[in-house]
Amino acid sequence: MKTAVYPGSFDPFTNGHLDIVERSIRVVDSLTIAVLKNTSKKSLFSPEERVEIIQEVLKDYPQVKVQTFEGLLVDFCRAHNTRIVIRGLRAVSDFDYEHAIFLMNRKLLPDLETMFLMAGSDNSFISSTIVKEVAYFGGNIADQVPAIVLERMKKVISKHV
Ligand code: PNS
C-alpha cells in the first residue's frame, strides 16, 4: 500500500491545495495531510481549526487523513512509516524554496522521495497569503477556496474588521 504525506501550513486550505490532494490520491492509496504547528507565523486559523476545516472539505475522501505536526517533517514521515512527500509547484518562483526543502529532507532521510505536482493554469496564481489579504480587504476569493473555507474565513474576518 502506497502512503504519502502532504505537508504545509494550509492557512487557509485553497482550491490549489484541493487540486493537489485530488491528483495525489490517483497515484497513492492513502494520503495524510500534515498541518504544521508553526507558532512563529501569525495565522488566520489555529492548526486545530485548519485540521477541522480540511476534514470537512475532504469528508468524501476516506483515504485522506488530516492531522497537525510539529518538529521535523522527516520525523513525522518516519513515525507514519511513509517515504513519499507530496508538494505542489506553482511557478518558477516556488522552485528555490522547494529545492532547498527537498535537499534538506533527503539529507535527513535519504530514502524519502518528494513528488512535485505542477499546479494547473487555474490554480497557479492561488496563494494562501494573497487569498487572506484579498479577503481581509473585502475582495472576492470565492473561486479560489472551497465554499466551507470561504464561510469560515468570512466569520473570522468579520470579527476582526
Ligand atoms: O505550506 P508551507 O508553509 O510552504 O509548508 C512548509 C513545510 C511545512 C512543508 C515546511 O516548513 C516543513 O516541512 N516544516 C517542518 C520542519 C522541517 O522539517 N524543516 C526541515 C525542512 S524545511
Side-chain angles (χ1 to χ4, degrees):
M1 179 151 129
K2 265 198 193 82
T3 63
V5 170
Y6 179 27
S9 302
F10 306 109
D11 185 50
F13 189 80
T14 67
N15 285 342
H17 297 130
L18 179 60
D19 179 52
I20 298 296
V21 169
E22 289 178 332
R23 288 159 59 198
S24 301
I25 55 179
R26 290 193 207 131
V27 289
V28 299
D29 304 300
S30 91
L31 183 72
T32 300
I33 298 180
V35 178
L36 182 68
K37 279 187 163 188
N38 188 346
T39 45
S40 64
K41 257 194 192 174
K42 199 181 166 300
S43 61
L44 186 62
F45 297 112
S46 71
E48 291 72 22
E49 285 171 327
R50 282 176 248 164
V51 167
E52 184 197 306
I53 294 167
I54 301 169
Q55 277 169 340
E56 209 180 326
V57 172
L58 299 171
K59 63 178 183 315
D60 294 329
Y61 297 96
Q63 66 276 60
V64 181
K65 289 187 226 100
V66 192
Q67 61 186 85
T68 58
F69 85 105
E70 51 195 330
L72 290 177
L73 177 64
V74 291
D75 290 335
F76 184 86
C77 291
R78 273 197 200 97
H80 286 77
N81 223 2
T82 182
R83 292 296 181 270
I84 304 173
V85 167
I86 306 274
R87 292 284 287 169
L89 265 187
R90 290 165 301 191
V92 178
S93 48
D94 283 341
F95 181 81
D96 287 346
Y97 175 59
E98 294 299 333
H99 191 217
I101 296 181
F102 159 73
L103 290 175
M104 179 52 82
N105 284 336
R106 203 166 140 96
K107 208 165 182 55
L108 295 169
L109 186 58
D111 61 346
L112 186 74
E113 204 51 84
T114 304
M115 283 172 43
F116 293 100
L117 299 185
M118 300 284 301
S121 54
D122 288 354
N123 297 319
S124 58
F125 70 100
I126 302 178
S127 118
S128 293
T129 306
I130 295 174
V131 155
K132 264 187 288 199
E133 184 166 305
V134 172
Y136 189 78
F137 291 111
N140 183 8
I141 50 151
D143 59 350
Q144 290 153 51
V145 295
I148 292 162
V149 175
L150 187 64
E151 281 314 304
R152 294 287 296 255
M153 287 179 79
K154 278 183 183 165
K155 271 189 206 156
V156 173
I157 290 169
S158 69
K159 276 186 205 153
H160 288 92
V161 188

